[in-house]
Amino acid sequence: MKTKRCFNYFTIADFENEERWLNAMSRRGWHFVSTNGLIYRFEQGRPGEYVYKIELAAEGDALRRADYERFLAECGVEVVAHFKEWIFLRRRAAEGPIETADNRRAQLSLINRASGYAVDILCRLLCVFAVLSVVALVVAALLPEGSAAADALDGFGISVAVTGLAMLALVFTPLIRRLRRRAGQLEREMSVHE
């Protein structure tokens, strides 16, 4: 069977675009098999044979996730791949799209969970940069004043803090803002239809 690998990058906020891309690849006869977050592997097959959906894995322990995946299999939905907290689902296109009873509620829940996941990653990275900065500044304070090592560590601690905070702000602020904006849009749509 012919396979190919494609490089593509999607942020947490882009999972809907990623899903559209996987479905477009399927329409061209390339069926998703796996990803490491940057490289996607596909197998060639009949064009449009499958439809794809991406979800955050069910919250909770492994048993709960396994139960959810068994339920999906009973509904004719195959779990194709896992990547971090995401699961990639597919089913034969002839069986229709993969949807829940109220797709807006499911999307809102997914977006809120993705937003929480992004905030969690942001907080963890902020902690890492803070610890690195504090350790560098403390070690610099313990070294003889004016020594080259103390000056280097002092500069390193400050530059890690400033660069890390700026980088995180530039990456995560727009990402979280996009997720929040999409959640607000879904909430407005739900209030109109209720």
Side-chain angles (χ1 to χ4, degrees), residues 25-191:
M25 292 294 288
S26 177
R27 286 189 296 277
R28 290 191 297 251
W30 291 103
H31 304 298
F32 173 71
V33 176
S34 65
T35 185
N36 65 5
L38 292 174
I39 299 172
Y40 293 75
R41 195 166 69 85
F42 296 88
E43 291 179 346
Q44 192 171 30
R46 281 191 1 247
E49 184 175 359
Y50 294 104
V51 290
Y52 291 88
K53 184 166 181 63
I54 303 171
E55 289 187 354
L56 275 172
E59 293 181 277
D61 58 20
L63 181 61
R64 188 169 170 199
R65 288 181 185 191
D67 286 343
Y68 178 63
E69 290 183 14
R70 266 192 298 282
F71 168 75
L72 290 170
E74 290 170 6
C75 296
V77 176
E78 176 187 357
V79 176
V80 180
H82 293 87
F83 176 69
K84 298 196 183 234
E85 297 296 316
W86 296 94
I87 56 174
F88 294 79
L89 309 172
R90 78 176 176 191
R91 101 191 217 175
R92 297 209 177 271
E95 296 175 27
I98 303 168
E99 291 188 16
T100 58
D102 181 354
N103 203 30
R104 282 186 200 92
R105 286 193 192 288
Q107 283 181 339
L108 181 60
S109 173
L110 181 62
I111 288 168
N112 284 333
R113 288 179 56 211
S115 181
Y117 188 64
V119 169
D120 183 53
I121 291 170
L122 173 62
C123 291
R124 289 172 192 232
L125 289 172
L126 284 172
C127 288
V128 167
F129 282 115
V131 167
L132 284 173
S133 297
V134 168
V135 167
L137 293 172
V138 166
V139 171
L142 295 174
L143 293 172
E145 192 173 323
S147 70
D151 290 344
L153 281 173
D154 202 25
F156 174 77
I158 292 168
S159 66
V160 163
V162 171
T163 305
L165 290 174
M167 183 182 73
L168 291 174
L170 289 172
V171 170
F172 279 92
T173 301
L175 187 140
I176 293 169
R177 193 175 294 153
R178 280 192 356 239
L179 285 167
R180 298 285 187 207
R181 200 173 18 246
R182 180 68 175 126
Q185 178 186 5
L186 285 169
E187 287 169 350
R188 285 187 298 281
E189 288 174 14
M190 287 169 46
S191 68

